[in-house]
Amino acid sequence: MKDKLIIFDTTLRDGEQSPGASMTKDEKLRIAKALEKMRVDIIEAGFPIASPGDFEAVKAVAELVTESTVCGLARALDKDIDRAAEALKPANSSRIHTFLATSPIHMREKLRMEPDQVVEQAVHAVKRARNYTDNVEFSPEDAGRSEFEFLCRVIEATIDAGATTINIPDTVGYNLPQFFGELIGNLIENIPNSDKAVFSVHCHNDLGLAVGNSLAAVINGARQVECTINGLGERAGNAALEEVVMTVRTRRDIFSCDTELDTTQIMHCSRLVSTITGFPVQPNKAIVGANAFAHESGIHQDGVLKSRETYEIMRAEDVGWNANRMVLGKHSGRNAFRSRLEELGIKFEKEEDLNAAFARFKDLADKKHEIFDDDLQALVSDTLQEGADEWIKLVSIKASIETGEKPKAEITLSINGEEKRACAEGGGPVDATFKAIESMIESGCDLQLYSVNNITTGTDSQGEVTVRIDKDGRIVNGLGADTDIVTASAKAYISALNKVFSESERAHPQV
Ligand code: KIV
Ligand code: ZN
């Protein structure tokens, strides 16, 4: 019998800390549902004290998810812990995750606290969280740069205070697998009450070692890994869930533990997170990249045809490749549409949103014969975005190109309910479109990223455009999908503008 390796997904919390990856409540709910379906053990849904929107999102996830434990992050402060507990009240099973830095540099420069005070505050925080739930996780932040003796002292005290999970974060991604593995083994061996808690790790990827460090920790006794879909997260990101899970599963000969995940859901989760956040997955990314199972060289192709194991160590279908079924077409009815969405974990709260999505679906089916799951995901994102209270809406667009002429765009927007029209010329039709929009909005934003991806294959595929803009240091992504990429670009730019002006200030947990 193998031990269980607990998978703690923090896509909705640490993942959301990536600049531009902030998600709406509805988007978080869709991801949470997909994670639950994949049988993730714990979903860290957010940082409830950060803003009223974050609080509502954690609460909504707690209401929706019944199979996974829902977790909320809290600094080691009473107000944070009380707020997290309040957001988690509706959950079937909940966890409070509280943290305080223990490295010399963080204690001295950031917290301006003495080590004794840090121990006292950490113990107090764990006790306070235990008043609400018996499932409490404590993280000594920047453990990867903390002094071993002090780390042992804080951990022993917090386990005594009632922490049931001790999470060791390599907050700045500074560690190397061999030493990080040894650190975990030594902590478990030297802390007298270590058997009273599950040891967990949370590794950042600044040196590209997050997965390696996490796995070394598992080999040395960690039984929970904190990770994110596609490795999303603060700076260079966190350990990628799909890589951790598939390594443990594929190298059963090495690991004495395994997860209970339904790995066939991995591709779906990866695409969903990428669509919602606008962070594309690089083609050569392990497990979920477009080339992860593609064989280019003739020798490899020949080998795989004779016996798959010659060049493949995993089966593509085990991680959900090929599951992007052609589901619906022009003649599909509203009920078939609704039930396929439900199978994908998408349920509209309002009937009018379902109707709007169905109208779009019919529209799309006229232009494109086969509608795949990924088309449906993009269509739903678009519908929810437009249904939201947005002050800028696209009314119509006309763009033209002609050899020897300057590309032009003519755009009509509804701005706070009032229609405005503008024309502009540009280097190409997209450039002209953005210039026309900007001439009406005058946002003064910096365009940081513009990218187009095809959602499925074929020239009739929808193009999905991601636009990232920066307004006085606030960075947001906007997404738009359409079979016409100029329209998709206009939608993406408008979605980013709506977000950048509506997002309220949020507290960052680690600042
Ligand atoms: O990276 C980190 O240290 C964190 C903690 C809050 C666990 O995200
Ligand atoms: Zn982190």
Side-chain angles (χ1 to χ4, degrees), residues 403-430:
T403 312
E405 295 290 323
K406 273 212 149 204
K408 292 187 192 61
E410 188 183 313
I411 313 278
T412 308
L413 297 180
S414 157
I415 305 171
N416 278 330
E418 193 190 323
E419 281 198 11
K420 279 195 174 179
R421 196 167 66 90
C423 299
E425 291 182 344
V430 173

Side-chain angles (χ1 to χ4, degrees), residues 30 275 328 337 341 346 348 353-365 371-386 455 462 464 480-482 491:
R30 282 166 66 200
T275 304
L328 301 168
F337 178 70
L341 287 186
I346 302 165
F348 286 106
D353 284 340
L354 175 69
N355 292 342
F358 185 61
R360 271 166 186 260
F361 160 72
K362 282 288 182 189
D363 218 33
L364 183 62
I371 310 278
F372 294 88
D373 287 344
D374 289 345
D375 287 315
L376 293 180
Q377 293 286 3
L379 186 144
V380 168
S381 294
D382 243 31
T383 310
L384 290 173
Q385 207 161 270
E386 263 188 21
I455 293 180
Q462 292 194 86
E464 184 176 63
D482 203 282
K491 286 181 182 174

Side-chain angles (χ1 to χ4, degrees), residues 295-472:
H295 297 278
E296 163 65 16
S297 112
I299 297 174
H300 286 204
Q301 285 172 355
D302 182 53
V304 170
L305 287 174
K306 286 181 178 141
S307 163
R308 180 164 47 187
E309 288 78 23
T310 51
Y311 286 101
E312 280 186 6
I313 56 169
M314 295 168 275
R315 298 186 322 161
E317 54 271 36
D318 288 348
V319 297
W321 277 102
N322 310 330
N324 182 27
R325 290 191 284 134
M326 194 279 282
V327 279
L328 301 168
K330 200 176 160 125
H331 302 294
S332 308
R334 200 165 166 284
N335 274 343
F337 178 70
R338 184 207 297 263
S339 64
R340 184 59 199 155
L341 287 186
E342 280 177 10
E343 278 166 35
L344 290 174
I346 302 165
K347 210 164 177 192
F348 286 106
E349 271 171 36
K350 298 187 223 142
E351 199 63 12
E352 69 212 56
D353 284 340
L354 175 69
N355 292 342
F358 185 61
R360 271 166 186 260
F361 160 72
K362 282 288 182 189
D363 218 33
L364 183 62
D366 270 341
K367 299 181 202 151
K368 188 174 186 289
H369 296 309
E370 300 172 317
I371 310 278
F372 294 88
D373 287 344
D374 289 345
D375 287 315
L376 293 180
Q377 293 286 3
L379 186 144
V380 168
S381 294
D382 243 31
T383 310
L384 290 173
Q385 207 161 270
E386 263 188 21
D389 264 348
E390 294 187 322
W391 66 287
I392 317 170
K393 288 185 201 279
L394 178 67
V395 178
S396 67
I397 174 166
K398 187 168 138 195
S400 59
I401 50 159
E402 198 181 328
T403 312
E405 295 290 323
K406 273 212 149 204
K408 292 187 192 61
E410 188 183 313
I411 313 278
T412 308
L413 297 180
S414 157
I415 305 171
N416 278 330
E418 193 190 323
E419 281 198 11
K420 279 195 174 179
R421 196 167 66 90
C423 299
E425 291 182 344
V430 173
D431 188 39
T433 298
F434 282 24
K435 283 187 172 134
I437 295 173
E438 196 52 32
S439 72
M440 292 182 266
I441 305 296
E442 294 179 355
S443 72
C445 291
D446 280 337
L447 182 66
Q448 290 201 328
L449 173 114
Y450 170 80
S451 84
V452 190
N453 288 297
N454 49 332
I455 293 180
T456 51
T457 50
T459 48
D460 67 348
S461 160
Q462 292 194 86
E464 184 176 63
V465 174
T466 307
V467 163
R468 184 173 306 150
I469 54 175
D470 177 345
K471 172 80 183 157
D472 305 328

Side-chain angles (χ1 to χ4, degrees), residues 101-109 111-113 115 118 150:
T102 51
S103 63
I105 182 167
H106 275 230
M107 291 192 289
R108 189 180 63 243
E109 306 294 334
L111 300 175
R112 308 230 158 106
M113 283 167 75
V118 168
F150 183 60

Side-chain angles (χ1 to χ4, degrees), residues 13-14 73 97 99 139 141-142 167 169-171 202 204 226 510:
R13 197 279 297 170
D14 212 314
L73 183 71
H97 174 194
F99 71 99
S139 292
E141 189 195 0
D142 204 17
N167 178 47
D170 183 17
T171 304
H202 173 114
H204 278 273
E226 301 199 354
Q510 285 149 318

